[in-house]
Amino acid sequence: MSTYLADAAEDLTVEGPSATFTYRRLGPTGSTPLILLNRVRGTLDWWDPELLDRLAAEHDVIVFDNVGTGYTTGTPRDSLAGLADGAVEFIEALGLKQVDLLGWTLGGTVAQHITRTRPDLVRRLVVAAANPGGTVPGAPDPNPKVRATMTKPQVTGDDLVYLFFPETDTGRAAGHAHLARVATRLATGVPEVSEAAATGQITAIGKDAAIPFEQVRADLESIQQPVLYATGMQDVMIPALAAYTAVQHLPHATLVAYSDAGHAFLFQRAKDFAAQVTAFLAD
């Protein structure tokens, strides 16, 4: 039996104009809710329960599936703007007037878009292992193995360990420990991300990569909220340079880097990262 409170959280639903959203809510209410935005091919069940438990110790934490993804109905989106609109639709369907956002990988890029286009809705922003947009100047060429792995029709556990954790004994052990923690939810035959939704998400990433970095820089400079940018130095998907570059153009940003972790540093270093997020949101 799981020892994580997150594994016992019930599925809830709320109706929006374009979808019936499924979400889970953990932790004490009364503070500004912390909304988590997920990765490519990620559903509610892929959030690591250790991280959720640690965040929910002091925060009202909400995880959800975006339009057309996992448990949520509707037509999948294929652009950052569409994904952002879906997230805003969900937040407004809950009747929330202001939230904090924590976005991981694609979710982090979407969270930045929301913060920029709906500044009234976002109090503070946490960006984990995400691209600020466009193609970061000086970034190395993408590893062909990474894209080939990402776009496979079926991504295996070993594929995820390669994509998200360092290729070291410690990194691989952390990856398999993460898979073991999410296995409780995944073992029940729950919805996966459809090929249409996955294709839409990958298309959104491609469209975002084509944005000129001059526009990305201007977009970053327009964000006035406090931002916590975090990265793993061994990230094979999005180089740490992306986070370093982003904070140079954000007016109120803090950068945190984990030397021994990769794209899923927030699961590998859940205790440390949750402490960083808690301190940042409390300022």
Side-chain angles (χ1 to χ4, degrees), residues 54-185:
R54 291 186 180 279
L55 291 173
E58 298 188 31
H59 298 99
D60 179 5
V61 176
I62 301 173
V63 295
F64 75 107
D65 282 342
N66 210 329
V67 178
T69 302
Y71 294 82
T72 294
T73 66
T75 302
R77 309 297 172 85
D78 65 356
S79 67
L80 281 184
L83 292 166
D85 287 346
V88 170
E89 180 182 326
F90 167 69
I91 292 167
E92 292 182 336
L94 289 181
L96 301 175
K97 302 302 182 184
Q98 190 174 57
V99 299
D100 294 325
L101 297 179
L102 189 163
W104 175 40
T105 189
L106 174 59
T109 310
V110 173
Q112 290 171 106
H113 186 94
I114 296 169
T115 304
R116 180 174 60 82
T117 57
R118 286 294 308 272
D120 58 303
L121 195 59
V122 182
R123 187 185 73 101
R124 289 187 172 234
L125 171 64
V126 181
V127 180
N131 197 314
T135 299
V136 173
D141 292 335
N143 185 330
K145 181 180 177 181
V146 170
R147 180 162 183 83
T149 303
M150 281 181 60
T151 55
K152 288 171 64 173
Q154 294 294 328
V155 178
T156 68
D158 286 340
D159 292 332
L160 292 176
V161 171
Y162 163 70
L163 291 172
F164 293 163
F165 297 87
E167 289 197 279
T168 63
D169 289 344
T170 301
R172 283 187 288 270
H176 288 291
H178 162 65
L179 293 178
R181 290 193 295 272
V182 299
T184 299
R185 287 286 193 183

Side-chain angles (χ1 to χ4, degrees), residues 251-262:
H252 309 288
T254 299
L255 175 63
V256 176
Y258 296 91
S259 63
D260 60 343

Side-chain angles (χ1 to χ4, degrees), residues 130-132 136 229 238-247:
N131 197 314
V136 173
Y229 234 99
I238 299 178
L241 177 63
Y244 178 78
T245 301
V247 299

